[in-house]
């Protein structure tokens, strides 16, 4: 087997990402999170930096969205994290002193933690986010923060082998389904420009284009090569049950000198500019705007926005890990066991050979998102406040950690009941959760201050599978 300590070291490293330190782009926008992440068509204001840069220069659709020329937010937080990654105390107990690793107690506790539904993380914190709108030259944005992605898709009974050393009665297959994680910081510069009029009726009267260029500094990374696999088959040799183990694996990792996974959480909390082991570039591009503006038929006023649209291509880019990069491999495994258990010594026999490498590259978890939104008030004239309903689809474009292997569809609503308070809710299917319920609120206690909080998977929080939350405090000047 792949040396279990390497898996666990990644888990320990990823435990730096707790409920308040998480986000892959749109997960950093609490407005989107409250609508089950249905936002690509209607996002406005400072949230556009995270959800769709094409909307960066477009006017606000809700009174709770800050519309001042300069908008600033400090320490945005949000994301989706499996509960396994929150068990930093467990990892410190298991790996704080790993002399004699692995002992049976540590293996048993680790086996409990290795559950697929709890082994996904996509998150970050933005230490600063800035949006500046000019009257004629478009809108600029800037952000700096941490990002962390991780996914450990183990076979369902892998934890049984880890915890008890028991092989399956018939056969066992470990085929890599996406095991890896990445932690990096990024500095992003955004620009958006709107084209068209704010009152002209008809189709596509207002369109916005935008992009975010990102400078990436990789802190730490871990991955299992996609061709890694282990097969265990049962046979009878001379009347004795035997297990034939065949296969091989390659594990790559990069981290700064002296990084201690057991204490990585405190380093992430305190370090604004952590040591790095790689560099890269990333790009987000988007388009958004008004799809249809009413002509004023019947009782509808002329110039009333009715339907919005949006599309975004996110996380185009890669990171080159070259400063402190390692590879551990064990290929051509062919072994026969005459009983159904693996001893600790036998585990160590499969730990492979560790060697320094010249480096390697990993891609960002690229996705394409598209959606439509409807201003319900354009058709229901008696509706109080402003209610916008979004429909969004997300398609992963690669199988990198941070992406789900499945597409996602979400339906969400944002109802600004008054100029200072908004309720948000949504439903999603597919993606990581399979099914998610979004809830959120927006509060604007003063003309210059806005508070937004949202969760795209309230149901997962209650079941204990994942923690999903985003929060933003922003000010306008």
């Amino acid at each position: 087997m792949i040396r279990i300590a390497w898996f666990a070291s990644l888990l320990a490293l990823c435990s730096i990402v707790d409920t308040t330190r998480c986000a892959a782009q749109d997960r950093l926008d609490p407005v989107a999170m409250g609508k089950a992440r249905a936002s690509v068509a209607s996002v406005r204001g400072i949230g556009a930096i995270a959800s769709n840069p094409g909307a960066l220069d477009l006017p606000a659709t809700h009174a709770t969205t800050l519309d001042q020329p300069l908008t600033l937010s400090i320490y945005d937080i949000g994301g989706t994290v499996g509960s396994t990654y929150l068990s930093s105390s467990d990892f410190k107990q298991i790996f704080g002193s790993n002399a004699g690793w692995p002992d049976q107690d540590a293996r048993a506790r680790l086996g409990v933690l290795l559950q697929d539904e709890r082994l996904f993380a996509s998150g970050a914190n933005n230490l600063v986010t800035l949006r500046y709108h000019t009257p004629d030259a478009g809108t600029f944005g800037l952000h700096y923060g941490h990002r962390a992605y991780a996914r450990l898709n183990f076979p369902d009974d892998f934890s049984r082998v880890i915890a008890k050393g028991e092989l399956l009665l018939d056969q066992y297959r470990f085929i890599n389904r996406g095991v890896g994680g990445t932690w990096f910081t990024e500095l992003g510069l955004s620009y958006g420009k709107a084209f068209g009029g704010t009152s002209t009726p008809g189709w596509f009267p207002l369109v916005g284009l935008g992009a975010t260029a990102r400078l990436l500094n990789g802190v730490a990374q871990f991955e299992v090569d996609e061709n890694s696999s282990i097969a265990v088959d049962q046979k009878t040799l001379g009347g004795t049950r035997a297990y034939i183990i065949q296969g091989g694996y390659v594990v790559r990792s990069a981290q700064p000198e002296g990084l201690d996974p057991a204490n990585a959480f405190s380093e992430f909390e305190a370090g604004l500019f952590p040591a790095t082991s790689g560099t890269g570039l990333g790009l987000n591009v988007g388009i958004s705007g008004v799809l249809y503006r009413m002509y004023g038929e019947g009782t509808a006023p002329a110039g009333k926005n009715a339907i919005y649209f949006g599309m975004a291509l996110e996380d185009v880019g890669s990171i080159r890990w070259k400063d402190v990069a390692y590879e551990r491999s064990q290929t051509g495994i062919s072994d026969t066991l005459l009983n159904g258990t693996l001893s600790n010594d036998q585990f160590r026999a499969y730990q492979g050979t560790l060697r320094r490498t010249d480096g390697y590259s990993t891609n960002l978890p690229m996705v394409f998102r598209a959606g439509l939104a409807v201003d319900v008030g354009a058709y229901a004239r008696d509706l109080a406040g402003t209610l916008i309903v979004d429909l969004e689809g997300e398609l992963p474009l690669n199988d990198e950690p941070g992406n789900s292997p499945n597409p996602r569809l979400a339906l969400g609503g944002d109802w600004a009941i008054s100029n200072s308070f908004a309720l948000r809710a949504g439903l999603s299917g597919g993606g990581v959760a399979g099914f998610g319920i979004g809830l959120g609120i927006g509060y604007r206690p003063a003309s210059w201050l806005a508070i937004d909080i949202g969760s795209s998977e309230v149901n997962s929080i209650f079941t204990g599978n994942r923690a999903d939350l985003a929060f933003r405090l922003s000010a306008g000047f």
Side-chain angles (χ1 to χ4, degrees), residues 222-234:
F222 176 97
E223 69 175 11
V224 178
D225 186 85
E226 61 183 1
N227 296 318
S228 299
S229 65
I230 300 289
V232 181
D233 294 290
Q234 179 191 154

Side-chain angles (χ1 to χ4, degrees), residues 18 77 98 100 108 141 225 275 280 340 343 345 353 418 420 428:
D18 67 4
I77 56 179
N98 60 2
D225 186 85
S343 68
D345 289 337
T353 302
S418 67
S420 60
S428 64

Side-chain angles (χ1 to χ4, degrees), residues 89 172 179 235 280 293 408 412:
S89 60
Y172 173 79
V179 175
K235 293 184 179 181
R293 184 177 291 147
R408 178 183 62 88

Side-chain angles (χ1 to χ4, degrees), residues 308-384:
Y308 302 92
F309 75 98
M311 292 180 286
L313 180 63
E314 299 178 349
D315 285 320
V316 180
S318 63
I319 299 177
R320 177 68 179 174
W321 306 92
K322 57 183 178 61
D323 295 336
V324 188
Y326 294 92
E327 180 178 283
R328 180 180 291 274
S329 63
Q330 181 73 292
T331 59
I333 295 174
S334 181
D335 203 358
T336 301
L337 301 180
L338 297 179
N339 56 63
T341 61
L342 288 172
S343 68
N344 292 337
D345 289 337
Q346 287 168 325
F347 268 113
R348 294 188 186 99
Y350 298 131
Q351 69 182 6
T353 302
L354 179 67
R355 63 178 181 273
R356 187 84 173 254
T357 71
D358 294 333
Y360 59 95
S361 296
T362 59
N363 295 319
L364 300 180
M366 184 167 54
V367 298
F368 175 73
R369 301 165 54 229
L372 296 173
V374 176
D375 187 334
V376 178
Y379 302 96
R381 300 284 296 142
D382 296 331
L383 179 70

